[in-house]
Amino acid sequence: MRKTEYRKHEMVSTGKLGFMMPYRKPYFSGKVAKTFYPYGAELWREYDCFALSLLDGGAFFFSNAHFGAADGKTVLRAWEEGKLLAAWQGADGKVEWDRFWQIWDSTLCLPRFEQHVWLNRLYCLLPLAQAWLRTGEQRYARGWDKIFKEWMSAHPIVPPLQKAHESRSCWHDMQVTTRLIMLLHSVFLLSHGEALPAVSWRRIYRAIRLHANHVFVEAAQAHATKGGIGNHYQQKGTALVATAVLFPEFPEAAKWLATGRSVLEEHAAADILADGANIEASPSYSHFIARLSLDPHLFLIANGCETIPGWEGLLQRQYAYLAQTCDPHGNTLQVSDSYFMSAKADIALVRRLWPELAVTKRSGSNWFDPSKFGLLHQGCFDVAVDAGKTNLWHHHRGKPNILVWYKGEPLLIDTGCPNYDEDVRDRWCKYAAAHNVVTVEPDEEAAKWDELTAMPECKCLYHDDKTIEINHTCNTPSLNYNWRRRISLSDGVCHVRDSVRADRPVRISLHLHLAPVNMTLTANNRCAVIALDCGKARINLLSRGIKFNICDQLAIGTNNHWTRSAHLNVNKPGRTATFEWQIV
């Protein structure tokens, strides 16, 4: 056996950070390859690990609910306090890695899927590896090694393309890809100093090769059958490109690279729209997806590889869209499955990673027709209009939904999205009534009506700097209706007109969700007075013969935790209705 070799990363003349493998095995090709890792150690010392390696939505929401926050320092603190794995430990104190999948197996339901996959994707390794880089304290490296060794021992490889339940979903799809990405980052972080013994490095490199081959088979099969879609598929391409350029010694590296590039090109063509949005239409996911586009580009550039044709233009388009479609303070909008994050801070970090990024600041009013998303700004009002599709994984129903800010403060909000394991997400948050919309439901045989099966279409009829008008049509075997919404800003007034026409008697309802602030209704229930820090705003009903009803509902606040929100609604039975209202 060859003598164990440890090499620290070194700066080279190009200014890139040298990436030398801390350990090489004879089953590598034998050539000594210096490869380069594009995220410098100084960035890992400065930024939280989950700012550099963005979490997908499911992981963010679970971490936020389970640990109280979704950042690396919170996960690390849980480990230091002995609480990180407590929820998965049995009575004997041992970690039951598949504890919540076993609950699913026995009950034929899946109440804790995110809790199961969060652990088995091994997100928790990254904060430990980062802590080793920052401190050099051996306890972090030993903790990393212990978790990874125990996980590998508990999960023998299951061949690719098996049904998810064959491996309790642990050797399936995003679980494998995310673990691979956590390993790639960890190798860089742990190789600063002698963190691990040779036996551990051998285990890591075997696992990287094993995971990459598994991801390759899944990605190649999806690519061959044109069955790949969404960020799970894109992530496979990103992981394959990164692994191939970092580890050219593996004999499979060339095919990983070729397939990874093809997957990314296919995903970009199918999922990234002409305006820079993506079909999943969830703002925080859009940052995750844009980073999955950026990472392979950085890995290819850093290692002198040919970049993917047209990729720089694709990246510029994605980040320009993200810069334009945030709230007045530069944060992501909490629409669909999006969480609240600083878009401004993420884009600033990306500019450090890729200085070629040329992002314009958020402008006033704009309409993005491919994604059917618009912004209006005039005077004291900012309005976001989401008229996108409702039929994909991270979409919520209820379009065109609007969000309103008054003097920069949120006034009309989206109910938001909680941890995916909470059934209130599917029972309430994803339904149309949880948004600032008009709903139309049959009066008769209401039990047969399911908005989940309705696929309404929205089309922009008119837009300028002050006005957006959307036509919403829904045609189903049980109900056909048309809803037209016109939003206009002028002279310190936000004016909205909602007109509905159905082919049969229906229940027509207007729903408005207020930010969690003080609100009172006037005596006739036709005016809601909202007390904001910047002053009072009023929502007035202009149409005659209707009034506001009010109830208290759950909503997700800007801290990404549950709060309470006032829900105003107006109901009118019949075939037609007009709700005209304004905010002043």
Side-chain angles (χ1 to χ4, degrees), residues 229-277:
I229 190 172
N231 68 78
H232 290 220
Y233 184 55
Q234 178 196 21
Q235 190 191 41
K236 290 177 171 64
T238 296
L240 287 173
V241 168
T243 310
V245 299
L246 287 179
F247 302 101
E249 291 79 8
F250 286 122
E252 303 91 345
K255 69 178 184 181
W256 294 343
L257 181 58
T259 298
R261 290 170 64 101
S262 295
V263 164
L264 290 168
E265 288 182 289
E266 183 182 13
H267 172 270
D271 285 32
I272 307 301
L273 304 177
D275 56 13

Side-chain angles (χ1 to χ4, degrees), residues 54-57 61 276-291 318-319 321-327 330-344 346-347 371 373 375 384-386 394-396 399 401 403 405 414 416-417 420:
L54 287 181
L55 292 171
D56 59 280
F61 287 122
N278 63 79
I279 62 172
E280 300 189 46
S282 175
S284 58
Y285 264 103
S286 296
H287 282 263
F288 175 68
I289 289 166
R291 195 70 73 83
Q318 285 179 276
Y319 280 102
Y321 183 84
L322 293 174
Q324 291 291 321
T325 55
C326 50
D327 76 9
N331 302 305
T332 54
L333 304 179
Q334 287 175 280
V335 295
S336 291
D337 273 0
S338 182
Y339 55 82
F340 184 89
M341 64 175 282
S342 174
K344 184 178 179 180
D346 183 58
I347 292 170
S371 56
F373 185 89
L375 295 163
V385 182
D386 177 13
H394 298 300
H395 296 170
H396 289 196
K399 307 289 178 76
N401 182 26
L403 306 181
W405 293 262
D414 191 295
C417 182
Y420 296 169

Side-chain angles (χ1 to χ4, degrees), residues 525-552:
N525 281 19
R526 289 178 52 81
C527 175
V529 182
I530 301 99
L532 302 169
D533 290 341
C534 61
K536 289 184 178 180
R538 290 175 171 80
I539 303 177
N540 297 318
L541 282 175
L542 303 180
S543 300
R544 296 183 179 278
I546 56 175
K547 63 180 182 179
F548 283 127
N549 302 302
I550 184 171
C551 62
D552 191 42

Side-chain angles (χ1 to χ4, degrees), residues 111-423:
R112 299 286 186 89
F113 182 74
E114 292 300 330
Q115 185 158 359
H116 174 69
V117 298
W118 187 92
L119 180 65
N120 286 287
R121 290 174 183 171
L122 297 183
Y123 297 103
C124 60
L125 293 181
L126 198 54
L128 289 166
Q130 183 181 40
W132 159 261
L133 172 72
R134 287 174 166 178
T135 68
E137 293 183 25
Q138 198 67 43
R139 60 182 177 134
Y140 296 120
R142 286 196 300 266
W144 189 102
D145 200 29
K146 181 176 185 293
I147 290 173
F148 184 61
K149 179 182 178 181
E150 289 182 2
W151 189 92
M152 289 296 293
S153 297
H155 295 89
I157 180 67
V158 172
L161 307 182
Q162 303 296 310
K163 298 290 186 181
H165 70 268
E166 297 286 345
S167 67
R168 296 187 175 94
S169 202
C170 293
W171 286 102
H172 177 72
D173 192 39
M174 200 174 189
Q175 286 65 266
V176 190
T177 318
T178 301
R179 279 199 308 274
L180 176 57
I181 291 173
M182 295 301 107
L183 290 175
L184 296 182
H185 290 317
S186 291
V187 165
F188 172 77
L189 297 168
L190 293 170
S191 59
H192 286 71
E194 297 188 8
L196 301 173
V199 64
S200 297
W201 283 119
R202 286 196 291 270
R203 183 185 307 112
I204 292 169
Y205 284 116
R206 283 196 299 268
I208 288 173
R209 188 182 186 191
L210 184 70
H211 279 70
N213 277 324
H214 201 287
V215 171
F216 165 76
V217 173
E218 288 190 346
Q221 194 269 348
H223 182 61
T225 60
K226 304 298 181 185
I229 190 172
N231 68 78
H232 290 220
Y233 184 55
Q234 178 196 21
Q235 190 191 41
K236 290 177 171 64
T238 296
L240 287 173
V241 168
T243 310
V245 299
L246 287 179
F247 302 101
E249 291 79 8
F250 286 122
E252 303 91 345
K255 69 178 184 181
W256 294 343
L257 181 58
T259 298
R261 290 170 64 101
S262 295
V263 164
L264 290 168
E265 288 182 289
E266 183 182 13
H267 172 270
D271 285 32
I272 307 301
L273 304 177
D275 56 13
N278 63 79
I279 62 172
E280 300 189 46
S282 175
S284 58
Y285 264 103
S286 296
H287 282 263
F288 175 68
I289 289 166
R291 195 70 73 83
L292 288 178
S293 298
L294 176 66
D295 281 352
H297 188 66
L298 296 179
F299 276 101
L300 291 169
I301 290 174
N303 290 280
C305 300
E306 181 183 358
T307 58
I308 301 173
W311 213 250
E312 290 201 3
L314 177 85
L315 291 169
Q316 298 284 8
R317 200 163 74 242
Q318 285 179 276
Y319 280 102
Y321 183 84
L322 293 174
Q324 291 291 321
T325 55
C326 50
D327 76 9
H329 304 289
N331 302 305
T332 54
L333 304 179
Q334 287 175 280
V335 295
S336 291
D337 273 0
S338 182
Y339 55 82
F340 184 89
M341 64 175 282
S342 174
K344 184 178 179 180
D346 183 58
I347 292 170
L349 171 56
V350 169
R351 295 188 80 165
R352 289 187 62 180
L353 296 170
W354 187 48
E356 290 82 359
L357 182 63
V359 174
T360 57
K361 293 183 179 179
R362 182 181 186 272
S363 60
S365 299
N366 214 331
W367 174 256
F368 299 91
D369 200 59
S371 56
K372 293 183 171 56
F373 185 89
L375 295 163
L376 293 173
H377 171 77
Q378 189 182 50
C380 55
F381 284 104
D382 288 273
V383 180
V385 182
D386 177 13
K389 294 186 176 181
T390 62
N391 60 329
L392 287 180
W393 322 279
H394 298 300
H395 296 170
H396 289 196
R397 291 167 291 281
K399 307 289 178 76
N401 182 26
I402 63 172
L403 306 181
V404 178
W405 293 262
Y406 178 72
K407 296 182 179 179
E409 289 191 52
L411 180 61
L412 292 185
I413 65 169
D414 191 295
T415 300
C417 182
N419 176 12
Y420 296 169
D421 284 345
E422 297 185 52
D423 63 356

